[in-house]
Amino acid sequence: MGFTVAQGLMLVLIIASRMALSTANKGWQFGNWPYRGPYHPNNTQTSNRIIVGDSYHWNYGFNYTDWAIKHGPFYLNDTLVFKYDPPTPNTYPHSVYLLPNLQSFIKCDLRNAQKLGNATQGAGEGFEFVLKRPWQPHYFACGEHDGIHCMNGTMKFFVMPIYRWYR
């Protein structure tokens, strides 16, 4: 019994993906991730309520792509909470849009985006967005001033929720 070319390619693909995952997660069990302790903060058995940007909230000048990478993985039914100050003469207004696809995300094209929160909805406790589409990316961006906060690359991020596997 020999391998077919397709079986060989599949084996190479599986080995490569396993190596990539093990490299990406290297050190988590030893607490070498930026968080203290042996476990990632989003490693729970129930849905989580996650404040976008942590204590910095949803503000200009913070790298949310980096934040999303450090806080992943995100799971189905996790809730993202967007908090930001309402507009004043001394602050920039913010909003939150859900972009329809990767091309819109890269170009910060808001034409077909869904507005999730306007400039005042992030005040106080903020507003919540529940991740309901498993294995599909959710692209978020600030849409104020025709997306200028998105275009500089900081006020945008995406997450791809996965199923929570119970032990």
Side-chain angles (χ1 to χ4, degrees):
M1 279 189 100
F3 280 105
T4 66
V5 172
Q7 289 171 329
L9 288 174
M10 183 60 75
L11 182 62
V12 168
L13 179 64
I14 290 170
I15 291 170
S17 65
R18 296 285 293 175
M19 289 177 64
L21 281 173
S22 65
T23 302
N25 295 330
K26 183 176 79 177
W28 278 19
Q29 71 272 19
F30 303 113
N32 292 337
W33 195 247
Y35 303 96
R36 303 292 178 241
Y39 301 106
H40 192 275
N42 198 10
N43 188 19
T44 63
Q45 299 301 316
T46 60
S47 298
N48 293 305
R49 188 173 184 271
I50 304 160
I51 298 173
V52 174
D54 297 323
S55 62
Y56 197 75
H57 300 168
W58 184 243
N59 285 300
Y60 183 74
F62 185 80
N63 189 329
Y64 292 93
T65 300
D66 187 47
W67 171 87
I69 290 168
K70 289 179 181 175
H71 282 72
F74 294 87
Y75 296 100
L76 184 64
N77 294 320
D78 278 354
T79 301
L80 299 179
V81 181
F82 291 87
K83 292 183 175 187
Y84 46 93
D85 295 329
T88 67
N90 300 325
T91 63
Y92 295 106
H94 299 297
S95 59
V96 180
Y97 282 80
L98 181 64
L99 302 167
N101 54 46
L102 179 61
Q103 184 175 1
S104 296
F105 179 74
I106 291 170
K107 294 182 177 182
C108 294
D109 181 2
L110 302 170
R111 287 179 292 186
N112 295 317
Q114 175 187 356
K115 186 182 245 185
L116 300 177
N118 64 28
T120 60
Q121 286 179 283
E125 292 300 308
F127 71 92
E128 298 180 347
F129 181 84
V130 179
L131 300 172
K132 291 286 187 185
R133 299 180 319 207
W135 298 105
Q136 294 180 19
H138 294 68
Y139 302 102
F140 300 98
C142 178
E144 292 304 303
H145 304 292
D146 295 321
I148 193 73
H149 294 168
C150 173
M151 287 182 220
N152 79 0
T154 58
M155 287 197 79
K156 67 178 183 177
F157 71 98
F158 77 95
V159 299
M160 187 176 310
I162 60 175
Y163 288 106
R164 188 177 310 276
W165 304 107
Y166 296 100
R167 295 180 205 150

